[in-house]
Amino acid sequence: MPQLNGGGGDELGANDEMISFKDEGEQEEKTAESVSAERDLDDVKSSLVNESENNSSSSDSEPTERRPQPRSDAESYEKARECFNEALRRQQDGGGLFKSPHYPGYPFIMLPDLASPYLPNGALSPTARTYLQMKWPLLDVPSSAALKDSRSPTPGHLSNKVPVVQHAHMHPLTPLITYSNDHFPPATPPAHLSPEILDPKTGIPRTPHPSELSPYYPLSPGAVGQIPHPLGWLVPQQAQPMYSIPPGGFRHPYPALAMNASMSSLVSNRFPPHVVPHHPHGLHQTGIPHPAIVSPAIKQEPNGELSPAAHTKSPGPAKKEEEKKPHIKKPLNAFMLYMKEMRAKVVAECTLKESAAINQILGRRWHSLSREEQAKYYELARKERQLHSQLYPGWSARDNYGKRKKRKRENKASSAAEDYSARNKKPCVQYLPQEKMIDSPASSHGSMLDSPATPSAALASPAAPAPTHSEQAQPLSLTTKPERHHPHFSLISKPSSSSSSSSASTSSSSSSSSSSHPSISLAISSSGSHSTPPLLSRPIPFTSLHPSLLSPPSPFHQAALHSHHALFQTQPLSLVTKSAD
DNA sequence: CCACCTTTGAAGCTG
DNA sequence: CAGCTTCAAAGGTGG
């Protein structure tokens, strides 16, 4: 998206990237832009055609939801151009792969006034509340079916008065829920259809009450402690819940949880209605524990409640405690959330099914996301952590240390990785090019920055630098994010991936410079040592050599790239290459 | 059957 | 404080 900005900069993030880019020369930029625009237009057209009416409707609504911000520039755009941009944006956002609303559920983040539903004091802003309430009227709607189709009706209308029914589809986490249709076996009864839904895991009937939003997480004292972890519901029953539920199911309500407005909002937002057990009583009768709790052996409190504090603080011997203590998983970070959401889509798009390969794609896609989009996930992740901490006050990431087998990939990391990549990549050749193109140091920087930039981050994240606010003025590209985040760096830093560092070093150095001149540096680095693409630990066949690939995802590039369809377009993205110059 | 692979981010640990 | 390590998801793959 940011890339699109070139046109009018309706995208805030674009500015940032653009800045760096501008260094290269505006002329180029413009030229490229125009050219790319044309090309993109074609792509867009095709894509639009494919998407059919969905896009049109969504395009209208989207601006409102996602980019409500009055980008003055945008206004100046011609209608046509707007549409075009929007389409492009959509494609970019979705990578062209995802046609449906990418984050219908996160509108609150995008909306100017909703940008920070959470007031500084943690209270949910009125607007947000309203929004939330609107969103959840019909929780029982089965997302799986609806979402299954990527082209399912976009939330375009959502912006105005979304019919209740539609809301269900639009849950912010919808993607998480639905994205994995795979996860929902056909056999799975349409939850939305029946008043009572059996929890796949527990088999306990859940009553989806659209009207009971609050019930999910009753704030009332009595209800407190019984609030199920919302995240757990995110995941399709079939698939692992964000936090897997112990086989036996948890009988204990959640530990007392002081839910503040923000938390409640979080919960409500994050957990799909249909997923969330709706108990009129406000109790999660399903007895499903927080998703984070995995361990089969659950320590049951006398009162039948699983209190995190109890197990965490339990005086008992450490060993005993460990044994009994359910495994509480780490809260998912932004990228993990993104992965959960998008994986299915990526998988659907490409033949590859291996997670390693998919994750690579996702990683690139992640970098290609606009800061706003990433911000959504950062915000979500932040909330999740917050919720997690509240649910499990005594929990520490350290608790899970050693639970997993040690990895020793260091040894074979390099060789294995390459082999692996080679195997995996082929199937998705189609996909890869795109990904490659997408990923760029610049974008990566931006992404990194995004997290802090998030409005919420400003509020909550201590570490988060001042809200970029805007993304507008400050490019931030370089600013905040620690190199560590930088893809190149990350590769290097990590022992496993670093193996490739020999070449990587080159790339890394270039990458660093890339911050200012992403395209150039990238192109150079990749071209210089095509053997090891800067971003990838291992070389990607063919794609790496492709000119288009070499260039970083500059605004134009992305636009151009975006047409996912057009991976191997006959047009070699000449523009893209241009960046190399 | 389980570790590995892969990704980013967060948190913990170490020096 | 910087840097490194571990874990979170996920699913094919290989030992």
Side-chain angles (χ1 to χ4, degrees):
Chain A
M1 336 264 356
Q3 298 70 5
L4 292 183
N5 158 350
D10 67 332
E11 181 69 17
L12 296 179
N15 291 342
D16 297 351
E17 291 188 0
M18 290 309 288
I19 293 170
S20 62
F21 199 79
K22 284 181 180 178
D23 293 346
E24 294 179 359
E26 297 215 354
Q27 290 180 351
E28 287 182 358
E29 188 179 343
K30 291 194 174 184
T31 304
E33 181 183 356
S34 61
V35 175
S36 65
E38 288 186 23
R39 194 160 10 87
D40 292 351
L41 186 55
D42 292 344
D43 293 346
V44 172
K45 287 179 184 176
S46 63
S47 68
L48 288 176
V49 172
N50 291 342
E51 294 189 15
S52 72
E53 42 310 356
N54 287 346
N55 284 341
S56 63
S57 64
S58 64
S59 63
D60 292 345
S61 63
E62 252 196 341
T64 305
E65 292 177 358
R66 301 184 50 191
R67 324 219 179 234
Q69 295 185 357
R71 285 128 190 212
S72 54
D73 297 350
E75 292 180 357
S76 64
Y77 285 147
E78 303 168 3
K79 289 282 181 178
R81 177 145 185 121
E82 256 183 296
C83 292
F84 171 73
N85 286 340
E86 186 62 25
L88 271 179
R89 181 186 309 153
R90 288 168 111 304
Q91 284 193 346
Q92 289 182 350
D93 291 352
L97 296 177
F98 318 122
K99 283 121 194 209
S100 58
H102 306 302
Y103 307 104
Y106 304 122
F108 60 96
I109 295 172
M110 303 308 289
L111 294 176
D113 46 338
L114 292 181
S116 267
Y118 306 94
L119 300 178
N121 61 2
L124 186 60
S125 70
T127 310
R129 287 178 195 241
T130 304
Y131 178 80
L132 291 178
Q133 296 222 348
M134 289 179 60
K135 283 189 69 170
W136 295 87
L138 299 183
L139 298 180
D140 55 352
V141 177
S143 54
S144 63
L147 295 181
K148 181 125 188 143
D149 181 350
S150 58
R151 298 169 193 229
S152 60
T154 58
H157 1 8
L158 185 57
S159 59
N160 294 342
K161 26 217 120 198
V162 189
V164 189
V165 174
Q166 292 183 353
H167 289 314
H169 302 322
M170 325 239 86
H171 186 283
L173 294 183
T174 324
L176 291 178
I177 300 162
T178 55
Y179 75 84
S180 56
N181 290 332
D182 302 348
H183 296 303
F184 289 91
T188 304
H192 54 298
L193 295 180
S194 68
E196 283 201 356
I197 301 168
L198 292 180
D199 184 281
K201 299 258 174 190
T202 60
I204 299 170
R206 294 183 286 133
T207 308
H209 256 286
S211 56
E212 328 184 23
L213 293 179
S214 48
Y216 299 147
Y217 302 91
L219 298 181
S220 65
V224 175
Q226 296 178 349
I227 298 168
H229 190 298
L231 296 179
W233 312 105
L234 288 179
V235 183
Q237 302 66 0
Q238 237 247 317
Q240 282 186 341
M242 188 139 345
Y243 298 97
S244 49
I245 296 164
F250 286 56
R251 296 271 163 161
H252 348 287
Y254 285 93
L257 175 61
M259 245 180 150
N260 55 24
S262 69
M263 292 302 287
S264 66
S265 67
L266 169 62
V267 170
S268 62
N269 282 303
R270 301 191 54 194
F271 305 92
H274 60 282
V275 179
V276 177
H278 312 301
H279 298 292
H281 312 355
L283 298 181
H284 64 293
Q285 296 176 349
T286 58
I288 297 171
H290 187 289
I293 300 172
V294 177
S295 119
I298 298 158
K299 179 180 181 178
Q300 289 193 340
E301 298 297 321
N303 59 2
E305 293 194 359
L306 175 64
S307 97
H311 58 263
T312 55
K313 298 176 181 176
S314 62
K319 286 189 177 181
K320 269 188 143 187
E321 190 176 345
E322 286 183 3
E323 291 176 359
K324 294 184 178 181
K325 190 194 290 183
H327 178 70
I328 298 172
K329 293 183 181 179
K330 294 174 66 173
L332 302 188
N333 63 35
F335 179 69
M336 285 297 166
L337 291 171
Y338 173 76
M339 279 189 24
K340 272 185 100 64
E341 179 179 327
M342 298 308 237
R343 164 170 266 103
K345 290 179 181 177
V346 172
V347 170
E349 195 64 22
C350 106
T351 57
L352 283 180
K353 293 200 171 178
E354 297 175 53
S355 289
I358 298 294
N359 289 350
Q360 281 192 336
I361 293 168
L362 287 169
R364 290 194 285 271
R365 290 195 67 82
W366 172 253
H367 289 297
S368 72
L369 288 178
S370 68
R371 26 170 70 205
E372 280 145 359
E373 288 173 331
Q374 285 191 344
K376 297 173 194 170
Y377 292 96
Y378 283 112
E379 173 73 357
L380 238 130
R382 184 184 68 78
K383 290 178 180 178
E384 181 163 342
R385 287 195 303 275
Q386 188 180 358
L387 179 61
H388 194 277
S389 65
Q390 293 205 16
L391 288 173
Y392 312 102
W395 181 88
S396 166
R398 168 165 53 98
D399 295 348
N400 293 354
Y401 272 38
K403 301 219 168 181
R404 277 192 177 184
K405 299 331 190 197
K406 308 306 190 241
R407 11 183 117 183
K408 21 177 144 183
R409 18 166 150 151
E410 299 179 4
N411 303 339
K412 42 180 156 189
S414 62
S415 62
E418 289 183 2
D419 293 348
Y420 186 78
S421 66
R423 287 192 314 243
N424 297 334
K425 303 257 159 181
K426 290 183 180 179
C428 218
V429 170
Q430 198 179 29
Y431 200 85
L432 289 177
Q434 207 180 22
E435 298 302 340
K436 266 236 125 310
M437 297 166 74
I438 290 170
D439 90 344
S440 68
S443 64
S444 69
H445 281 296
S447 69
M448 303 323 267
L449 302 178
D450 291 353
S451 65
T454 309
S456 64
L459 298 177
S461 351
T468 59
H469 60 336
S470 5
E471 357 199 356
Q472 330 187 326
Q474 304 254 351
L476 328 167
S477 13
L478 315 174
T479 36
T480 42
K481 289 312 204 120
E483 321 71 92
R484 180 175 171 231
H485 294 295
H486 193 289
H488 301 293
F489 288 131
S490 67
L491 290 177
I492 295 169
S493 67
K494 293 188 179 181
S496 61
S497 50
S498 64
S499 60
S500 57
S501 58
S502 59
S503 62
S505 63
T506 307
S507 64
S508 69
S509 64
S510 66
S511 70
S512 62
S513 65
S514 71
S515 55
S516 60
H517 303 281
S519 54
I520 295 174
S521 63
L522 229 191
I524 294 171
S525 66
S526 51
S527 64
S529 60
H530 62 69
S531 63
T532 308
L535 297 181
L536 298 178
S537 59
R538 45 255 188 7
I540 293 179
F542 166 78
T543 58
S544 62
L545 298 180
H546 194 286
S548 63
L549 297 178
L550 297 180
S551 64
S554 63
F556 342 124
H557 298 170
Q558 287 208 346
L561 299 181
H562 281 345
S563 35
H564 37 309
H565 303 317
L567 291 182
F568 285 125
Q569 299 178 352
T570 50
Q571 305 183 5
L573 312 177
S574 48
L575 333 160
V576 176
T577 10
K578 122 224 157 180
S579 61
D581 62 345

